[in-house]
Amino acid sequence: MRTFLSALLIGSSLFATQTLAHDYTVGDLHIGHPWSRALPPVAPTGAAYLTIENRGQQSDSLIAASTPIAGYTELHEHVHEDGLMKMQKIDRVEIAPGESVEFSPGGHHVMLFDLKEPLSDGHRYPLTLTFEQAGEVEVEVYVSKDTEADDQSQAHDHAGHDHGHHHHH
Ligand SMILES: [Cu+2]
């Protein structure tokens, strides 16, 4: 699969390069490739994925995220419960020194509620991440219908998730 994807990326030239690689630095944190999966226009919720690498000596935590395209956001993780994968809200995502945390479909993600504009393929939107130590950084999220994350296609597709039973505080 990796080989196939690599060939695909090379074959699709400059556009793919620009689409698939972008990163940010805030303090000792390195943030790689924020992206969202494209969804049908009617989707009320979406999710943002990225990687956060801590190149410093002390632990830091992602504690909040916000974007003008969503009414509000939550940090989510997936847990196995009664044989099912469920999402649940978490207060923080800690990134230990020297470690890297990947937000991906089926794992951690920034959940976007009350979408004000559709997550359409090729769209980009700003997302402000707040870290306990490093502070705030605004990143640009790329919306794509097919990304390298499709490599993890065993991970379930977030688009089909029902958030109706979530409790919000
Ligand atoms: Cu979620």
Side-chain angles (χ1 to χ4, degrees):
M1 195 58 182
R2 286 272 177 213
T3 309
F4 170 71
L5 281 169
S6 299
L8 199 69
L9 295 183
I10 291 164
S12 43
S13 79
L14 189 62
F15 178 74
T17 308
Q18 287 177 334
T19 303
L20 293 174
H22 65 301
D23 51 67
Y24 304 83
T25 299
V26 57
D28 292 324
L29 303 178
H30 185 80
I31 297 154
H33 189 49
W35 69 281
S36 282
R37 179 165 289 163
L39 298 174
V42 292
T45 62
Y49 311 107
L50 45 91
T51 57
I52 305 168
E53 181 188 353
N54 187 345
R55 295 175 174 173
Q57 303 296 321
Q58 82 181 127
S59 179
D60 205 345
S61 294
L62 178 64
I63 53 174
S66 68
T67 173
I69 73 156
Y72 65 102
T73 73
E74 291 179 356
L75 303 176
H76 278 188
E77 66 177 358
H78 276 89
V79 291
H80 284 281
E81 196 177 289
D82 304 327
L84 295 171
M85 284 279 268
K86 290 185 176 176
M87 299 193 300
Q88 68 183 26
K89 186 184 172 188
I90 48 178
D91 291 334
R92 59 178 54 232
V93 178
E94 185 178 358
I95 310 104
E99 299 212 336
S100 180
V101 174
E102 183 175 6
F103 288 55
S104 61
H108 288 89
H109 52 279
V110 178
M111 196 79 210
L112 312 174
F113 291 94
D114 298 342
L115 284 176
K116 298 183 194 315
E117 48 187 86
L119 294 174
S120 46
D121 188 36
H123 187 65
R124 297 178 183 187
Y125 66 89
L127 179 71
T128 300
L129 303 171
T130 305
F131 294 96
E132 202 166 52
Q133 304 297 330
E136 288 191 354
V137 61
E138 183 180 299
V139 303
E140 191 173 35
V141 182
Y142 290 14
V143 182
S144 179
K145 62 176 163 52
D146 44 14
T147 73
E148 74 280 7
D150 286 342
D151 203 17
Q152 310 161 352
S153 49
Q154 307 91 320
H156 75 168
D157 191 340
H158 205 284
H161 253 290
D162 178 11
H163 286 81
H165 303 291
H166 262 293
H167 293 284
H168 305 298
H169 306 285

